Amino acid sequence: DSAIAQARELATRLHELTAAIAAQPIDDDQLATLRRQEQALQAARIRLESAATGLAWRLEPGRSILIDGSPVTGEAGSHRLVAPTTVSVPGIGELVIEPGGGGDVARLAGQRDAEEAAQGALLRSLGLDTVAAAEQRLRQRKAAQQEAGIARARLDLLAPRGLEALLAERAALAGELADLRARLAAFACASPGAGDPASQAPALPVAEARRRLEAAAARLQAAQDAAETARREADAARLAAGHAGDELRALEATLRDELRQQRQRRSLEELAAARQRLADLAAQVRAAEASIEAARPLLLQQDAERFARSARQAHEAHEQRRLEVVAMESQLEAAGAAGLEELLAEAQGELRRLGRRHRELDRRARALDLLVRSLQAKRQALTSRLQAPLRARLDHYLQLLLPGASLRVDEALKPVALETPPGQGGFDELSFGTREQLSMVSRLAYADLLREAGRPTLIIVDDGLVHSDQARLAQMKRILYDAASRHQILLFSCHPDRWEDLGVPAREIAPLSATRLEPDLFAQRRSGT
């Protein structure tokens, strides 16, 4: 009974899945065709968009125009033209714009329409609207097919010969069960003493035998059920193993497929070609950046300003002429003069010419402005890279003199501002002695840069720290001693007692001036003197 119930449920589910699969007529080939059509349609649209004529407008607030009879509002907008288009300007007239490119635009539009028609026909035949819906339907169809296969396999396990055979088997088993029950009842009636009233008491052994018989029958039925379950599980395992073997063979055939290997090799070749194209594009970008660097930003900025002024003047002239035209029209209308249409046509022609000139100058001015901003950004980045080594050397000495302070330099690498912690004052509030010390620190930083560039350095200090107090003088001695490890420093002073702890012996100038100074006296490099 349990097997029949499950078989009926599986048969019903299988019928529903079969109906669902039949209601979704789509396969992998049709979906691949739709995807190819979608890619071709996108490519056709991109080519048509590139070849189409652009129409852009900027309207004054509250104004509107008509494009092919459709009103257009808003301050600015754009449209791509693939066919002759009529632009109506209220109060002025109509402009008929034909896209350029000869027959290319029409041919590309025809290709786009053909691709759209082919894709639409295939989608309508499938009863779908989009490619995404087709992909969703194929996924649902495959899921239903997989579930139907599982249901069919389970139904084959429950009823290998069909549901009718299973019903016949249940009827036969019911007949055997009724026969066995009848035989059991006959056996109970035919037992000894069954008709003697005096012998009814010893009926207990028969009842015990019946109980034991029922228990044995229950154990036998449990064993048979267990055997049947084991048989079904073994059949299911064999069926699953068969399906797995079929899938394995299919996968091995796919791996050995020559077409798949060719597609893989072709994909690798396309990847290598794409990488080469990327390298070529990177080289082109570097060349473009070099050409931008070679441009002169100041002249470009002047050109941008000149073109912007020319555009404004053209716009003002256009506006002035428009007002004059309106005034003249009013005068002519008041005077009842003829020939207004000819004058209007001439004014419209001049308006179109000035509009084209205005758009041309505006585009060029915006392009030059963008180029100037790009060049200024590049120049700022280069200046930062050039300033970095000098700032590093200035910070090295400045932390010994003014901890926590930093000295900012301009584009000419000249110190312009001192940034100090809160409470220490700025560059303008420093004493004369502190400014004198900062000057010497800057000279030492420049000397470090010259030494890193391989240029010889000789630093001469002539009483450069006479305005320094004892605390700052001690810090400057540490700075000079540190710099003397990299440069030759000659320090002249009429106060030798202030420099006794500099770590080098002092020499008198008077005895040296009486004799000719030897060249090797100044050739002692990195001696700390």
Side-chain angles (χ1 to χ4, degrees), residues 31 34 38 123 128-139:
L31 181 59
L34 284 174
E38 181 71 15
L123 287 173
L128 298 171
D129 297 330
T130 61
V131 179
E135 294 177 348
Q136 178 66 20
R137 173 177 288 185
L138 183 59
R139 286 194 295 268

Side-chain angles (χ1 to χ4, degrees), residues 21 71 83 89 134 150 155 157 166 180 188 194 270 278 312 314 326 337 346 355-356 388 453 460 478 483 490 504 506:
I21 293 171
V89 182
I150 296 174
L155 183 60
L157 290 176
L166 195 61
L180 289 174
E270 292 176 356
L278 180 61
R312 287 195 297 271
V326 173
E346 293 178 1
R356 289 193 298 271
I460 299 176
R478 296 177 60 188
L490 299 181
V504 293

Side-chain angles (χ1 to χ4, degrees), residues 317-340:
H318 163 68
E319 186 65 21
Q320 181 64 28
R321 290 178 181 176
R322 187 184 68 81
L323 295 176
E324 292 176 358
V325 168
V326 173
M328 292 175 63
E329 288 177 350
S330 300
Q331 294 176 2
L332 290 174
E333 185 177 358
L340 185 61

Side-chain angles (χ1 to χ4, degrees), residues 185-499:
F187 175 76
C189 293
S191 59
D196 188 1
S199 61
Q200 292 299 324
L204 184 59
V206 176
E208 180 67 21
R210 182 175 297 161
R211 185 185 63 78
R212 292 182 180 180
L213 178 60
E214 291 176 354
R219 289 194 299 271
L220 177 60
Q221 184 63 37
Q224 290 176 350
D225 293 341
E228 181 66 19
T229 301
R231 183 183 65 80
R232 292 176 182 174
E233 292 177 354
D235 292 340
R238 284 194 296 272
L239 182 59
H243 291 333
D246 294 339
E247 293 179 359
L248 178 61
R249 286 189 293 273
L251 292 175
E252 290 177 350
T254 302
L255 291 176
R256 291 193 300 269
D257 188 7
E258 182 65 24
L259 293 178
R260 181 180 179 277
Q261 295 177 0
Q262 291 178 0
R263 287 196 299 271
Q264 186 176 8
R265 288 193 297 269
R266 187 163 56 253
S267 299
L268 293 176
E269 293 174 357
E270 292 176 356
L271 178 60
R275 289 177 177 173
Q276 182 62 36
R277 288 196 299 272
L278 180 61
D280 296 340
L281 290 176
Q284 295 177 7
V285 169
R286 290 192 295 269
E289 291 177 350
S291 64
I292 292 175
E293 289 290 341
R296 304 177 65 180
L298 182 58
L299 294 179
L300 294 177
Q301 185 175 6
Q302 292 176 354
D303 290 342
E305 294 176 356
R306 178 165 53 86
F307 289 133
R309 290 181 179 179
S310 300
R312 287 195 297 271
Q313 291 174 359
H315 180 71
E316 292 173 357
H318 163 68
E319 186 65 21
Q320 181 64 28
R321 290 178 181 176
R322 187 184 68 81
L323 295 176
E324 292 176 358
V325 168
V326 173
M328 292 175 63
E329 288 177 350
S330 300
Q331 294 176 2
L332 290 174
E333 185 177 358
L340 185 61
E341 291 79 6
E342 291 78 2
L343 294 176
L344 178 60
E346 293 178 1
Q348 288 177 347
E350 183 67 15
L351 174 63
R352 288 193 294 271
R353 186 185 67 80
L354 292 176
R356 289 193 298 271
R357 181 61 176 168
H358 174 264
R359 289 191 295 272
E360 178 184 354
L361 294 177
D362 182 66
R363 285 196 301 270
R364 190 166 183 181
R366 285 188 282 109
L368 292 174
D369 184 62
L370 176 61
L371 181 58
V372 167
R373 290 197 301 271
S374 301
L375 291 176
Q376 288 176 348
K378 293 287 186 180
R379 180 180 181 182
Q380 183 63 31
L382 180 60
T383 302
S384 300
R385 290 197 300 270
L386 292 176
Q387 291 176 350
L390 179 60
R391 284 202 300 267
R393 299 312 307 167
L394 285 174
D395 290 342
H396 171 74
Y397 293 114
L398 199 59
Q399 296 308 314
L400 298 177
L401 179 64
L402 298 172
S406 61
L407 191 60
R408 184 163 56 87
V409 296
D410 59 5
E411 294 182 355
L413 303 181
K414 294 181 181 180
V416 294
L418 179 67
E419 298 176 357
T420 60
Q424 294 188 10
F427 188 81
D428 297 333
E429 301 176 4
L430 297 178
S431 64
F432 187 81
T434 303
R435 296 188 182 187
E436 192 177 51
Q437 296 154 15
L438 291 176
S439 175
M440 182 172 293
V441 165
S442 302
R443 293 174 61 191
L444 294 176
Y446 293 140
D448 287 346
L449 294 181
L450 290 173
R451 180 179 177 275
E452 292 177 358
R455 309 294 293 273
T457 56
L458 172 62
I459 302 173
I460 299 176
V461 182
D462 186 6
D463 270 344
L465 301 172
V466 295
H467 298 90
S468 300
D469 54 18
Q470 293 298 326
R472 290 289 179 82
L473 184 61
Q475 294 174 334
M476 290 304 299
K477 288 177 182 179
R478 296 177 60 188
I479 292 174
L480 287 172
Y481 189 81
D482 176 69
S485 63
R486 294 179 295 277
H487 310 286
Q488 181 181 10
I489 302 177
L490 299 181
L491 193 150
F492 298 92
S493 176
C494 58
H495 303 285
D497 53 336
R498 301 186 66 186
W499 304 97

